[in-house]
Amino acid sequence: MTTLLLHGGESAPTTPVSRAGGLPLVPAGFVWPLCVECEGAMQFIAHLDRGKDVVSVFMCQNDPGLCQEWEPSAGGNRAFVFPAEGLSPAALPAEGETLLGRTVVLAARPFGSVRYGEEEAWGPVDGRSVLGQLGGEPYWLQNEETPDCAGCAQPMGFVAQLDEVANFGGGYAYVFTCDPCREAAFLWQC
Ligand SMILES: [Zn+2]
Ligand SMILES: [Zn+2]
């Protein structure tokens, strides 16, 4: 079963729906993630609403291509699982490439059993750009790269694939979680 993420129009930066860009909605005590490589504040990429929780994705863009921001565990990106209750917009760091230029709603649309594939093969659906998929099977551009959970060392579960919503080198980004451990991971391939 494939569920596409379609361009759902632009929205306010704090809308509590799945979106690329805008402001992260975070729990009390949240500290904006810093890149291990350049020590700058990361860029907020996506808010994925899963009902009971939210997956929040960040990636360094202070020196694109120099911070291993495509690697799941090199410290150039971070992903979090937050309980859905009690979130509020994060305070923006004073410096760094912290936000995307616009906030785009990621609208889920069931698309039957056709496997997600190359964007060229999809074209617009319902007149809207395809910006990724929610769940289903990851479509890998390179070798399969399912990360192991930092908590329990088991392979993580696939959450979403994102295309072109941020600087993924022209490729695809992949979001994973381990729900028992409340761990999340992010990587991209091109
Ligand atoms: Zn960096
Ligand atoms: Zn785990």
Side-chain angles (χ1 to χ4, degrees), residues 6-171:
L6 302 181
H7 192 304
E10 298 202 20
S11 79
T14 57
T15 313
V17 300
S18 293
R19 53 182 160 82
L23 280 168
L25 302 180
V26 299
F30 173 79
V31 177
W32 195 287
L34 301 181
C35 174
V36 167
E37 202 67 37
C38 72
E39 301 180 354
M42 292 185 188
Q43 183 175 66
F44 176 64
I45 301 295
H47 170 102
L48 299 171
D49 178 7
R50 301 199 297 178
K52 66 184 189 309
D53 62 23
V54 163
V55 182
S56 192
V57 179
F58 295 75
M59 170 176 86
C60 184
Q61 280 291 280
N62 296 302
D63 280 314
L66 296 179
C67 293
Q68 298 188 70
E69 61 266 31
W70 55 88
E71 292 279 356
S73 56
N77 65 52
R78 279 294 299 277
F80 301 90
V81 180
F82 299 138
E85 296 295 314
L87 301 180
S88 56
L92 205 55
E95 294 183 1
E97 292 294 324
T98 52
L99 298 179
L100 293 173
R102 62 206 178 115
T103 308
V104 174
V105 172
L106 299 171
R109 183 194 187 285
F111 204 65
S113 57
V114 184
R115 276 200 66 184
Y116 189 82
E118 297 176 23
E119 190 200 14
E120 290 76 16
W122 291 98
V125 172
D126 299 342
R128 297 168 179 268
S129 307
V130 177
L131 298 182
Q133 66 166 337
L134 187 65
E137 292 289 322
Y139 173 76
W140 297 105
L141 286 175
Q142 307 292 337
N143 293 331
E144 195 221 322
E145 208 179 342
T146 301
D148 291 333
C149 173
C152 68
Q154 296 298 305
M156 300 179 86
F158 178 60
V159 172
Q161 178 158 1
L162 299 173
D163 176 18
E164 298 285 345
V165 299
N167 179 12
F168 306 141

Side-chain angles (χ1 to χ4, degrees), residues 148-156 177-183:
D148 291 333
C149 173
C152 68
Q154 296 298 305
M156 300 179 86
T177 59
C178 177
D179 293 331
C181 297
R182 287 198 176 280
E183 293 279 350

